[in-house]
Amino acid sequence: MSLHGGRSALAVLALVLPLAVGAEEWPDTEWPRSEAQAPAEALRAFEAYTFPPRNDEKPTGVRTDAVVVILDGHLVYERYTGENRVETPHLTWSVSKSVMAAVLGVAFKEGRFQLDDTVAQHHPPFAAHPDIRMRHLLPWASGLAWSEGYEASPLKSSVITMLYTRGRDDMAAYTASLPAVAPPGTRHVYSSGESNVLSASLKSMLGDAYADYPWKALFEPLGITSAVWERDTSGTYVGSSYAYMTARDLARVGLLMQRGGRWKDEQLLPPEWVRMNLTPFEHYVPDPRATVAEAIPGGHWWLNRAFKGAPRPWKDAPEDAFAALGHWGQCLFVIPSEKLVIVRYGDDRDKSFRQNEFLARARAAFVAGKGAP
Amino acid sequence: MRRAVKKGLLAGVALLLVGGGTWYVANREHVSAFQGVLSAYTAKEYCSCRFVMGFSEKYCLGYARQYIPYSSLQEETDARRVTVRGLGLSSTATWVSPREGCHLIPATTP
């Protein structure tokens, strides 16, 4: 049954399984489905914001490629636009970082490293930075110089240099070659390089087992079949940027996190690891000049916390909401208290998409009781 | 009066040359690396757009377009290879495998 037909999708989503009280549903090869409880008016408002008419010749405004909504383990809504299909493995850009964090969580459970290990123990080029530890990379706080600008400042962008020019053959070694500008663990500077250092560290820990590891450790247990993960020339998975999967498959990573790192009967990610993922980096300083409040960095995830006097970034979503976020509007939102997981893929080429606005309308449409006038 | 204007113009041009030269020396490394971004970015992201995400040529041409135009883009559909020339440099990306998608071929030839 194909569901990628736009508005007709809702009609097709008519009940398959009633929500049994207390029963916990998990996706097998397919997601269990449930009738959307969406009030028609709230759903129209959600779609009007999320799927405005789109022009590929002049790419401006909100340009959503796909949305999948999971409520309490059930697929309640999905819609795809343009050439996007149910089976399209969409580029996730920096959502890859949070997926890499989940892969690392399995390696952590297997005892392959400790958070207090020095990075140099696992990635020899970091011998130049002997005080940087694994725990410093997770909230992007190594203290190494980095500039994470894309289109706005391409000339001096470290991420562009890493992905496309001097750094591209060995992205982690390029990152290691940068100078330290702050003591490790004292300052958050968002850095794609650090995510690739984590990926390269995993490569050293695993040796030949690295090639299959993201699949064996994470994708296969979760039933993810569409994943593609591109590597640099040195063979390191580009943990910062280049994981692809269908929206339905990315929602599985969301459900894993919504349920505290547990998948069915298995605690895939240790509670200690998930706690680290969802703890705000203590030395983070919210930018008072930001016109749109930015999510608070946790351990390779982004958090909706009121922090150091700054309001929470998504004021219309509960404080336990968190997300994996990527370039051009890729989002995986998780709200455990509402059992809600939302994947939103996009191709936003300007800054008009507002995460808070999207979440407000999604909650009104899909979370029972939130859509009442 | 006219001489003063001329003098001012000359000073302005000299200042621009010195300033521009100083900027170039300070940013030389960035500038020379940046020259390769356009072809590399376009080749890699177009390759992934076509052969990983499976979108059409028409869509991917728009998807991979940047504000500086490239001079040529050649897709070898059967070999799943893409070669792009831009800012005087050329880059090739090629599809590797179903799991590993596309990557840039290391050598960048002038």
Side-chain angles (χ1 to χ4, degrees), chain A residues 83 89 154 156 164-166 168 212 229-231 242 244 328 349, chain B residues 27 29 33 41 44-45 48 53 56 63 67 99-100 102 105-106:
Chain A
E83 296 188 10
K156 290 186 181 176
Y164 301 110
T165 64
R166 283 179 290 140
R168 77 191 203 199
D212 285 335
W229 210 326
E230 293 169 339
R231 305 207 214 188
Y242 284 155
Y244 302 70
W328 292 344
R349 300 301 176 106
Chain B
N27 292 281
E29 200 185 8
Y41 166 88
K44 160 65 187 66
E45 301 311 334
S48 301
M53 294 194 272
S56 68
Y63 172 86
Y67 47 88
R99 273 192 184 181
E100 293 182 29
C102 289
I105 289 176

PDB file of all heavy atoms in Angstrom, chain A residues 83 89 154 156 164-166 168 212 229-231 242 244 328 349, chain B residues 27 29 33 41 44-45 48 53 56 63 67 99-100 102 105-106:
ATOM      1  N   GLU A  83       9.568  14.838  -5.845  1.00  0.00           N
ATOM      2  CA  GLU A  83      10.040  13.510  -6.227  1.00  0.00           C
ATOM      3  C   GLU A  83      10.293  12.619  -5.012  1.00  0.00           C
ATOM      4  O   GLU A  83      10.757  11.501  -5.150  1.00  0.00           O
ATOM      5  CB  GLU A  83      11.316  13.640  -7.067  1.00  0.00           C
ATOM      6  CG  GLU A  83      11.080  14.353  -8.396  1.00  0.00           C
ATOM      7  CD  GLU A  83      12.310  14.306  -9.318  1.00  0.00           C
ATOM      8  OE1 GLU A  83      13.262  13.574  -9.022  1.00  0.00           O
ATOM      9  OE2 GLU A  83      12.288  15.023 -10.333  1.00  0.00           O
ATOM     10  N   PRO A  89      15.701   7.373   0.330  1.00  0.00           N
ATOM     11  CA  PRO A  89      16.647   7.590   1.434  1.00  0.00           C
ATOM     12  C   PRO A  89      17.159   9.027   1.356  1.00  0.00           C
ATOM     13  O   PRO A  89      18.026   9.344   0.560  1.00  0.00           O
ATOM     14  CB  PRO A  89      17.760   6.570   1.168  1.00  0.00           C
ATOM     15  CG  PRO A  89      17.660   6.230  -0.287  1.00  0.00           C
ATOM     16  CD  PRO A  89      16.332   6.688  -0.812  1.00  0.00           C
ATOM     17  N   PRO A 154      31.673  30.983   3.109  1.00  0.00           N
ATOM     18  CA  PRO A 154      32.310  29.786   2.563  1.00  0.00           C
ATOM     19  C   PRO A 154      33.835  29.852   2.543  1.00  0.00           C
ATOM     20  O   PRO A 154      34.501  28.834   2.613  1.00  0.00           O
ATOM     21  CB  PRO A 154      31.754  29.713   1.139  1.00  0.00           C
ATOM     22  CG  PRO A 154      31.295  31.089   0.813  1.00  0.00           C
ATOM     23  CD  PRO A 154      30.894  31.708   2.105  1.00  0.00           C
ATOM     24  N   LYS A 156      36.174  30.882   4.682  1.00  0.00           N
ATOM     25  CA  LYS A 156      36.915  30.397   5.844  1.00  0.00           C
ATOM     26  C   LYS A 156      36.169  29.292   6.589  1.00  0.00           C
ATOM     27  O   LYS A 156      36.487  29.000   7.730  1.00  0.00           O
ATOM     28  CB  LYS A 156      37.202  31.565   6.793  1.00  0.00           C
ATOM     29  CG  LYS A 156      38.211  32.539   6.231  1.00  0.00           C
ATOM     30  CD  LYS A 156      38.581  33.586   7.255  1.00  0.00           C
ATOM     31  CE  LYS A 156      39.565  34.559   6.667  1.00  0.00           C
ATOM     32  NZ  LYS A 156      39.873  35.644   7.599  1.00  0.00           N
ATOM     33  N   TYR A 164      34.969  19.287   1.318  1.00  0.00           N
ATOM     34  CA  TYR A 164      35.151  19.389  -0.131  1.00  0.00           C
ATOM     35  C   TYR A 164      36.569  19.677  -0.599  1.00  0.00           C
ATOM     36  O   TYR A 164      36.856  19.512  -1.774  1.00  0.00           O
ATOM     37  CB  TYR A 164      34.207  20.466  -0.700  1.00  0.00           C
ATOM     38  CG  TYR A 164      32.770  20.152  -0.402  1.00  0.00           C
ATOM     39  CD1 TYR A 164      32.030  20.912   0.497  1.00  0.00           C
ATOM     40  CD2 TYR A 164      32.152  19.045  -0.978  1.00  0.00           C
ATOM     41  CE1 TYR A 164      30.718  20.599   0.801  1.00  0.00           C
ATOM     42  CE2 TYR A 164      30.845  18.711  -0.676  1.00  0.00           C
ATOM     43  CZ  TYR A 164      30.134  19.498   0.214  1.00  0.00           C
ATOM     44  OH  TYR A 164      28.836  19.160   0.521  1.00  0.00           O
ATOM     45  N   THR A 165      37.445  20.170   0.270  1.00  0.00           N
ATOM     46  CA  THR A 165      38.784  20.477  -0.242  1.00  0.00           C
ATOM     47  C   THR A 165      39.872  19.819   0.609  1.00  0.00           C
ATOM     48  O   THR A 165      39.994  18.604   0.621  1.00  0.00           O
ATOM     49  CB  THR A 165      39.013  22.000  -0.395  1.00  0.00           C
ATOM     50  OG1 THR A 165      38.952  22.636   0.874  1.00  0.00           O
ATOM     51  CG2 THR A 165      37.967  22.625  -1.309  1.00  0.00           C
ATOM     52  N   ARG A 166      40.642  20.608   1.349  1.00  0.00           N
ATOM     53  CA  ARG A 166      41.831  20.066   2.009  1.00  0.00           C
ATOM     54  C   ARG A 166      41.532  18.947   2.988  1.00  0.00           C
ATOM     55  O   ARG A 166      42.357  18.089   3.238  1.00  0.00           O
ATOM     56  CB  ARG A 166      42.580  21.190   2.735  1.00  0.00           C
ATOM     57  CG  ARG A 166      43.376  22.071   1.800  1.00  0.00           C
ATOM     58  CD  ARG A 166      44.052  23.168   2.574  1.00  0.00           C
ATOM     59  NE  ARG A 166      43.104  24.150   3.075  1.00  0.00           N
ATOM     60  CZ  ARG A 166      43.152  24.716   4.272  1.00  0.00           C
ATOM     61  NH1 ARG A 166      44.106  24.399   5.108  1.00  0.00           N
ATOM     62  NH2 ARG A 166      42.247  25.617   4.623  1.00  0.00           N
ATOM     63  N   ARG A 168      38.990  16.681   2.870  1.00  0.00           N
ATOM     64  CA  ARG A 168      38.021  15.655   2.473  1.00  0.00           C
ATOM     65  C   ARG A 168      38.576  14.230   2.452  1.00  0.00           C
ATOM     66  O   ARG A 168      37.815  13.271   2.594  1.00  0.00           O
ATOM     67  CB  ARG A 168      37.424  16.008   1.119  1.00  0.00           C
ATOM     68  CG  ARG A 168      38.350  15.719  -0.046  1.00  0.00           C
ATOM     69  CD  ARG A 168      37.801  16.330  -1.312  1.00  0.00           C
ATOM     70  NE  ARG A 168      38.318  15.646  -2.481  1.00  0.00           N
ATOM     71  CZ  ARG A 168      38.306  16.167  -3.691  1.00  0.00           C
ATOM     72  NH1 ARG A 168      37.810  17.374  -3.888  1.00  0.00           N
ATOM     73  NH2 ARG A 168      38.773  15.494  -4.713  1.00  0.00           N
ATOM     74  N   ASP A 212      30.841  -2.801   8.970  1.00  0.00           N
ATOM     75  CA  ASP A 212      29.466  -3.275   9.170  1.00  0.00           C
ATOM     76  C   ASP A 212      28.822  -2.724  10.431  1.00  0.00           C
ATOM     77  O   ASP A 212      27.642  -2.951  10.678  1.00  0.00           O
ATOM     78  CB  ASP A 212      29.456  -4.812   9.298  1.00  0.00           C
ATOM     79  CG  ASP A 212      29.650  -5.482   7.946  1.00  0.00           C
ATOM     80  OD1 ASP A 212      29.321  -4.836   6.933  1.00  0.00           O
ATOM     81  OD2 ASP A 212      30.125  -6.628   7.918  1.00  0.00           O
ATOM     82  N   TRP A 229      25.475   5.322   4.214  1.00  0.00           N
ATOM     83  CA  TRP A 229      26.350   6.227   4.961  1.00  0.00           C
ATOM     84  C   TRP A 229      27.646   6.379   4.171  1.00  0.00           C
ATOM     85  O   TRP A 229      28.397   5.410   4.024  1.00  0.00           O
ATOM     86  CB  TRP A 229      26.627   5.709   6.367  1.00  0.00           C
ATOM     87  CG  TRP A 229      26.871   6.820   7.348  1.00  0.00           C
ATOM     88  CD1 TRP A 229      27.489   8.027   7.098  1.00  0.00           C
ATOM     89  CD2 TRP A 229      26.497   6.863   8.726  1.00  0.00           C
ATOM     90  NE1 TRP A 229      27.502   8.808   8.232  1.00  0.00           N
ATOM     91  CE2 TRP A 229      26.900   8.121   9.251  1.00  0.00           C
ATOM     92  CE3 TRP A 229      25.853   5.952   9.586  1.00  0.00           C
ATOM     93  CZ2 TRP A 229      26.692   8.478  10.588  1.00  0.00           C
ATOM     94  CZ3 TRP A 229      25.655   6.325  10.903  1.00  0.00           C
ATOM     95  CH2 TRP A 229      26.059   7.569  11.405  1.00  0.00           C
ATOM     96  N   GLU A 230      27.864   7.563   3.650  1.00  0.00           N
ATOM     97  CA  GLU A 230      29.043   7.794   2.818  1.00  0.00           C
ATOM     98  C   GLU A 230      30.295   7.968   3.676  1.00  0.00           C
ATOM     99  O   GLU A 230      30.220   8.443   4.810  1.00  0.00           O
ATOM    100  CB  GLU A 230      28.801   9.018   1.919  1.00  0.00           C
ATOM    101  CG  GLU A 230      27.716   8.737   0.893  1.00  0.00           C
ATOM    102  CD  GLU A 230      27.230   9.958   0.127  1.00  0.00           C
ATOM    103  OE1 GLU A 230      27.408  11.094   0.617  1.00  0.00           O
ATOM    104  OE2 GLU A 230      26.641   9.781  -0.957  1.00  0.00           O
ATOM    105  N   ARG A 231      31.446   7.589   3.093  1.00  0.00           N
ATOM    106  CA  ARG A 231      32.716   7.654   3.828  1.00  0.00           C
ATOM    107  C   ARG A 231      33.666   8.644   3.163  1.00  0.00           C
ATOM    108  O   ARG A 231      33.515   8.961   1.979  1.00  0.00           O
ATOM    109  CB  ARG A 231      33.403   6.299   3.792  1.00  0.00           C
ATOM    110  CG  ARG A 231      32.592   5.124   4.290  1.00  0.00           C
ATOM    111  CD  ARG A 231      33.568   4.092   4.802  1.00  0.00           C
ATOM    112  NE  ARG A 231      33.161   2.724   4.597  1.00  0.00           N
ATOM    113  CZ  ARG A 231      33.836   1.696   5.123  1.00  0.00           C
ATOM    114  NH1 ARG A 231      34.934   1.889   5.832  1.00  0.00           N
ATOM    115  NH2 ARG A 231      33.432   0.469   4.910  1.00  0.00           N
ATOM    116  N   TYR A 242      26.703  12.723   6.317  1.00  0.00           N
ATOM    117  CA  TYR A 242      26.338  11.970   5.121  1.00  0.00           C
ATOM    118  C   TYR A 242      25.604  10.665   5.365  1.00  0.00           C
ATOM    119  O   TYR A 242      25.826   9.695   4.661  1.00  0.00           O
ATOM    120  CB  TYR A 242      27.591  11.730   4.271  1.00  0.00           C
ATOM    121  CG  TYR A 242      28.075  12.946   3.498  1.00  0.00           C
ATOM    122  CD1 TYR A 242      29.414  13.057   3.119  1.00  0.00           C
ATOM    123  CD2 TYR A 242      27.213  13.959   3.116  1.00  0.00           C
ATOM    124  CE1 TYR A 242      29.876  14.156   2.401  1.00  0.00           C
ATOM    125  CE2 TYR A 242      27.656  15.064   2.410  1.00  0.00           C
ATOM    126  CZ  TYR A 242      28.993  15.159   2.052  1.00  0.00           C
ATOM    127  OH  TYR A 242      29.438  16.235   1.333  1.00  0.00           O
ATOM    128  N   TYR A 244      21.984   8.761   5.115  1.00  0.00           N
ATOM    129  CA  TYR A 244      20.714   8.879   4.378  1.00  0.00           C
ATOM    130  C   TYR A 244      19.794   7.771   4.864  1.00  0.00           C
ATOM    131  O   TYR A 244      20.240   6.644   5.094  1.00  0.00           O
ATOM    132  CB  TYR A 244      20.917   8.640   2.870  1.00  0.00           C
ATOM    133  CG  TYR A 244      21.892   9.543   2.162  1.00  0.00           C
ATOM    134  CD1 TYR A 244      23.261   9.445   2.402  1.00  0.00           C
ATOM    135  CD2 TYR A 244      21.451  10.479   1.230  1.00  0.00           C
ATOM    136  CE1 TYR A 244      24.160  10.265   1.733  1.00  0.00           C
ATOM    137  CE2 TYR A 244      22.341  11.304   0.560  1.00  0.00           C
ATOM    138  CZ  TYR A 244      23.697  11.195   0.820  1.00  0.00           C
ATOM    139  OH  TYR A 244      24.594  12.004   0.164  1.00  0.00           O
ATOM    140  N   TRP A 328      19.557  22.720   5.856  1.00  0.00           N
ATOM    141  CA  TRP A 328      18.413  22.806   4.953  1.00  0.00           C
ATOM    142  C   TRP A 328      17.131  22.221   5.555  1.00  0.00           C
ATOM    143  O   TRP A 328      16.267  21.713   4.832  1.00  0.00           O
ATOM    144  CB  TRP A 328      18.713  22.122   3.606  1.00  0.00           C
ATOM    145  CG  TRP A 328      19.747  22.844   2.781  1.00  0.00           C
ATOM    146  CD1 TRP A 328      20.193  24.120   2.933  1.00  0.00           C
ATOM    147  CD2 TRP A 328      20.473  22.322   1.651  1.00  0.00           C
ATOM    148  NE1 TRP A 328      21.143  24.423   1.978  1.00  0.00           N
ATOM    149  CE2 TRP A 328      21.335  23.345   1.182  1.00  0.00           C
ATOM    150  CE3 TRP A 328      20.465  21.071   1.000  1.00  0.00           C
ATOM    151  CZ2 TRP A 328      22.181  23.157   0.088  1.00  0.00           C
ATOM    152  CZ3 TRP A 328      21.316  20.897  -0.089  1.00  0.00           C
ATOM    153  CH2 TRP A 328      22.160  21.932  -0.540  1.00  0.00           C
ATOM    154  N   ARG A 349      16.134  26.683   1.532  1.00  0.00           N
ATOM    155  CA  ARG A 349      17.336  27.399   1.121  1.00  0.00           C
ATOM    156  C   ARG A 349      17.395  28.809   1.713  1.00  0.00           C
ATOM    157  O   ARG A 349      18.293  29.577   1.413  1.00  0.00           O
ATOM    158  CB  ARG A 349      17.423  27.450  -0.403  1.00  0.00           C
ATOM    159  CG  ARG A 349      17.487  26.071  -1.060  1.00  0.00           C
ATOM    160  CD  ARG A 349      18.683  25.274  -0.593  1.00  0.00           C
ATOM    161  NE  ARG A 349      18.686  23.918  -1.150  1.00  0.00           N
ATOM    162  CZ  ARG A 349      19.494  23.512  -2.123  1.00  0.00           C
ATOM    163  NH1 ARG A 349      20.350  24.318  -2.669  1.00  0.00           N
ATOM    164  NH2 ARG A 349      19.443  22.259  -2.548  1.00  0.00           N
TER     165      ARG A 349
ATOM    166  N   ASN B  27      44.826  35.652   3.283  1.00  0.00           N
ATOM    167  CA  ASN B  27      43.818  34.610   3.061  1.00  0.00           C
ATOM    168  C   ASN B  27      44.190  33.653   1.926  1.00  0.00           C
ATOM    169  O   ASN B  27      43.350  32.905   1.453  1.00  0.00           O
ATOM    170  CB  ASN B  27      42.464  35.264   2.743  1.00  0.00           C
ATOM    171  CG  ASN B  27      41.898  36.004   3.944  1.00  0.00           C
ATOM    172  OD1 ASN B  27      41.337  35.400   4.836  1.00  0.00           O
ATOM    173  ND2 ASN B  27      42.099  37.308   3.979  1.00  0.00           N
ATOM    174  N   GLU B  29      45.741  30.914   1.576  1.00  0.00           N
ATOM    175  CA  GLU B  29      45.467  29.497   1.745  1.00  0.00           C
ATOM    176  C   GLU B  29      43.973  29.209   1.556  1.00  0.00           C
ATOM    177  O   GLU B  29      43.578  28.258   0.894  1.00  0.00           O
ATOM    178  CB  GLU B  29      45.892  29.096   3.154  1.00  0.00           C
ATOM    179  CG  GLU B  29      46.114  27.637   3.329  1.00  0.00           C
ATOM    180  CD  GLU B  29      46.413  27.291   4.782  1.00  0.00           C
ATOM    181  OE1 GLU B  29      46.302  28.177   5.650  1.00  0.00           O
ATOM    182  OE2 GLU B  29      46.735  26.135   5.044  1.00  0.00           O
ATOM    183  N   ALA B  33      42.212  27.095  -1.659  1.00  0.00           N
ATOM    184  CA  ALA B  33      41.407  25.919  -1.353  1.00  0.00           C
ATOM    185  C   ALA B  33      39.978  26.128  -1.839  1.00  0.00           C
ATOM    186  O   ALA B  33      39.357  25.226  -2.389  1.00  0.00           O
ATOM    187  CB  ALA B  33      41.408  25.648   0.145  1.00  0.00           C
ATOM    188  N   TYR B  41      31.942  20.301  -4.535  1.00  0.00           N
ATOM    189  CA  TYR B  41      30.612  20.305  -3.931  1.00  0.00           C
ATOM    190  C   TYR B  41      29.564  19.828  -4.933  1.00  0.00           C
ATOM    191  O   TYR B  41      28.737  18.957  -4.637  1.00  0.00           O
ATOM    192  CB  TYR B  41      30.265  21.721  -3.430  1.00  0.00           C
ATOM    193  CG  TYR B  41      28.809  21.899  -3.106  1.00  0.00           C
ATOM    194  CD1 TYR B  41      28.329  21.600  -1.840  1.00  0.00           C
ATOM    195  CD2 TYR B  41      27.901  22.321  -4.084  1.00  0.00           C
ATOM    196  CE1 TYR B  41      26.986  21.723  -1.542  1.00  0.00           C
ATOM    197  CE2 TYR B  41      26.548  22.442  -3.801  1.00  0.00           C
ATOM    198  CZ  TYR B  41      26.093  22.142  -2.530  1.00  0.00           C
ATOM    199  OH  TYR B  41      24.758  22.251  -2.254  1.00  0.00           O
ATOM    200  N   LYS B  44      29.951  16.024  -5.896  1.00  0.00           N
ATOM    201  CA  LYS B  44      29.557  15.117  -4.804  1.00  0.00           C
ATOM    202  C   LYS B  44      28.049  15.160  -4.545  1.00  0.00           C
ATOM    203  O   LYS B  44      27.389  14.115  -4.466  1.00  0.00           O
ATOM    204  CB  LYS B  44      30.335  15.487  -3.532  1.00  0.00           C
ATOM    205  CG  LYS B  44      29.764  15.003  -2.218  1.00  0.00           C
ATOM    206  CD  LYS B  44      29.749  13.495  -2.080  1.00  0.00           C
ATOM    207  CE  LYS B  44      29.005  13.091  -0.812  1.00  0.00           C
ATOM    208  NZ  LYS B  44      27.559  13.418  -0.842  1.00  0.00           N
ATOM    209  N   GLU B  45      27.501  16.340  -4.391  1.00  0.00           N
ATOM    210  CA  GLU B  45      26.083  16.412  -4.008  1.00  0.00           C
ATOM    211  C   GLU B  45      25.159  16.034  -5.169  1.00  0.00           C
ATOM    212  O   GLU B  45      24.088  15.468  -4.951  1.00  0.00           O
ATOM    213  CB  GLU B  45      25.744  17.786  -3.429  1.00  0.00           C
ATOM    214  CG  GLU B  45      26.566  18.176  -2.186  1.00  0.00           C
ATOM    215  CD  GLU B  45      26.631  17.117  -1.094  1.00  0.00           C
ATOM    216  OE1 GLU B  45      25.721  16.281  -0.996  1.00  0.00           O
ATOM    217  OE2 GLU B  45      27.629  17.114  -0.338  1.00  0.00           O
ATOM    218  N   SER B  48      25.185  12.164  -5.256  1.00  0.00           N
ATOM    219  CA  SER B  48      24.332  11.592  -4.208  1.00  0.00           C
ATOM    220  C   SER B  48      22.858  11.834  -4.501  1.00  0.00           C
ATOM    221  O   SER B  48      22.007  10.982  -4.220  1.00  0.00           O
ATOM    222  CB  SER B  48      24.698  12.197  -2.853  1.00  0.00           C
ATOM    223  OG  SER B  48      26.049  11.942  -2.538  1.00  0.00           O
ATOM    224  N   MET B  53      19.784   9.250  -3.556  1.00  0.00           N
ATOM    225  CA  MET B  53      18.382   9.608  -3.305  1.00  0.00           C
ATOM    226  C   MET B  53      17.483   9.240  -4.487  1.00  0.00           C
ATOM    227  O   MET B  53      16.277   9.114  -4.334  1.00  0.00           O
ATOM    228  CB  MET B  53      18.276  11.083  -2.960  1.00  0.00           C
ATOM    229  CG  MET B  53      18.951  11.408  -1.625  1.00  0.00           C
ATOM    230  SD  MET B  53      18.519  13.039  -0.956  1.00  0.00           S
ATOM    231  CE  MET B  53      19.756  14.074  -1.726  1.00  0.00           C
ATOM    232  N   SER B  56      15.575  12.899 -10.246  1.00  0.00           N
ATOM    233  CA  SER B  56      15.794  13.082 -11.679  1.00  0.00           C
ATOM    234  C   SER B  56      16.946  14.046 -11.946  1.00  0.00           C
ATOM    235  O   SER B  56      17.334  14.841 -11.076  1.00  0.00           O
ATOM    236  CB  SER B  56      14.526  13.632 -12.325  1.00  0.00           C
ATOM    237  OG  SER B  56      14.306  14.959 -11.859  1.00  0.00           O
ATOM    238  N   TYR B  63      19.027  21.233  -7.480  1.00  0.00           N
ATOM    239  CA  TYR B  63      19.400  20.921  -6.098  1.00  0.00           C
ATOM    240  C   TYR B  63      20.861  21.255  -5.818  1.00  0.00           C
ATOM    241  O   TYR B  63      21.205  21.788  -4.765  1.00  0.00           O
ATOM    242  CB  TYR B  63      19.127  19.440  -5.863  1.00  0.00           C
ATOM    243  CG  TYR B  63      19.627  18.873  -4.552  1.00  0.00           C
ATOM    244  CD1 TYR B  63      18.843  18.960  -3.401  1.00  0.00           C
ATOM    245  CD2 TYR B  63      20.859  18.219  -4.466  1.00  0.00           C
ATOM    246  CE1 TYR B  63      19.289  18.422  -2.211  1.00  0.00           C
ATOM    247  CE2 TYR B  63      21.305  17.682  -3.282  1.00  0.00           C
ATOM    248  CZ  TYR B  63      20.520  17.781  -2.149  1.00  0.00           C
ATOM    249  OH  TYR B  63      20.966  17.252  -0.965  1.00  0.00           O
ATOM    250  N   TYR B  67      25.426  29.658  -6.015  1.00  0.00           N
ATOM    251  CA  TYR B  67      25.261  31.008  -6.560  1.00  0.00           C
ATOM    252  C   TYR B  67      26.343  31.365  -7.570  1.00  0.00           C
ATOM    253  O   TYR B  67      26.179  32.270  -8.370  1.00  0.00           O
ATOM    254  CB  TYR B  67      25.163  32.058  -5.446  1.00  0.00           C
ATOM    255  CG  TYR B  67      26.208  31.920  -4.363  1.00  0.00           C
ATOM    256  CD1 TYR B  67      27.441  32.538  -4.500  1.00  0.00           C
ATOM    257  CD2 TYR B  67      25.952  31.163  -3.219  1.00  0.00           C
ATOM    258  CE1 TYR B  67      28.401  32.403  -3.511  1.00  0.00           C
ATOM    259  CE2 TYR B  67      26.921  31.025  -2.234  1.00  0.00           C
ATOM    260  CZ  TYR B  67      28.144  31.652  -2.380  1.00  0.00           C
ATOM    261  OH  TYR B  67      29.097  31.513  -1.418  1.00  0.00           O
ATOM    262  N   ARG B  99      25.534   0.688   0.156  1.00  0.00           N
ATOM    263  CA  ARG B  99      25.648   1.198   1.524  1.00  0.00           C
ATOM    264  C   ARG B  99      26.442   2.488   1.603  1.00  0.00           C
ATOM    265  O   ARG B  99      26.222   3.299   2.473  1.00  0.00           O
ATOM    266  CB  ARG B  99      26.355   0.165   2.407  1.00  0.00           C
ATOM    267  CG  ARG B  99      25.424  -0.845   3.007  1.00  0.00           C
ATOM    268  CD  ARG B  99      26.179  -1.618   4.066  1.00  0.00           C
ATOM    269  NE  ARG B  99      25.339  -2.670   4.616  1.00  0.00           N
ATOM    270  CZ  ARG B  99      25.738  -3.492   5.579  1.00  0.00           C
ATOM    271  NH1 ARG B  99      26.966  -3.392   6.057  1.00  0.00           N
ATOM    272  NH2 ARG B  99      24.921  -4.405   6.039  1.00  0.00           N
ATOM    273  N   GLU B 100      27.428   2.641   0.720  1.00  0.00           N
ATOM    274  CA  GLU B 100      28.367   3.749   0.887  1.00  0.00           C
ATOM    275  C   GLU B 100      28.127   4.912  -0.061  1.00  0.00           C
ATOM    276  O   GLU B 100      28.845   5.925   0.012  1.00  0.00           O
ATOM    277  CB  GLU B 100      29.808   3.241   0.753  1.00  0.00           C
ATOM    278  CG  GLU B 100      30.169   2.315   1.892  1.00  0.00           C
ATOM    279  CD  GLU B 100      31.599   1.828   1.819  1.00  0.00           C
ATOM    280  OE1 GLU B 100      32.447   2.551   1.277  1.00  0.00           O
ATOM    281  OE2 GLU B 100      31.859   0.715   2.300  1.00  0.00           O
ATOM    282  N   CYS B 102      28.022   7.799  -2.644  1.00  0.00           N
ATOM    283  CA  CYS B 102      29.002   8.452  -3.511  1.00  0.00           C
ATOM    284  C   CYS B 102      30.192   8.974  -2.713  1.00  0.00           C
ATOM    285  O   CYS B 102      30.079   9.270  -1.531  1.00  0.00           O
ATOM    286  CB  CYS B 102      28.359   9.649  -4.211  1.00  0.00           C
ATOM    287  SG  CYS B 102      27.169   9.198  -5.485  1.00  0.00           S
ATOM    288  N   ILE B 105      36.501  11.444  -5.929  1.00  0.00           N
ATOM    289  CA  ILE B 105      37.760  10.782  -6.272  1.00  0.00           C
ATOM    290  C   ILE B 105      38.892  11.711  -5.837  1.00  0.00           C
ATOM    291  O   ILE B 105      38.842  12.920  -6.087  1.00  0.00           O
ATOM    292  CB  ILE B 105      37.783  10.483  -7.783  1.00  0.00           C
ATOM    293  CG1 ILE B 105      36.787   9.361  -8.050  1.00  0.00           C
ATOM    294  CG2 ILE B 105      39.182  10.119  -8.248  1.00  0.00           C
ATOM    295  CD1 ILE B 105      36.632   9.022  -9.495  1.00  0.00           C
ATOM    296  N   PRO B 106      39.898  11.174  -5.122  1.00  0.00           N
ATOM    297  CA  PRO B 106      40.890  12.042  -4.487  1.00  0.00           C
ATOM    298  C   PRO B 106      41.537  13.103  -5.364  1.00  0.00           C
ATOM    299  O   PRO B 106      41.553  14.268  -4.987  1.00  0.00           O
ATOM    300  CB  PRO B 106      41.928  11.055  -3.949  1.00  0.00           C
ATOM    301  CG  PRO B 106      41.138   9.820  -3.683  1.00  0.00           C
ATOM    302  CD  PRO B 106      40.078   9.780  -4.751  1.00  0.00           C
TER     303      PRO B 106
END
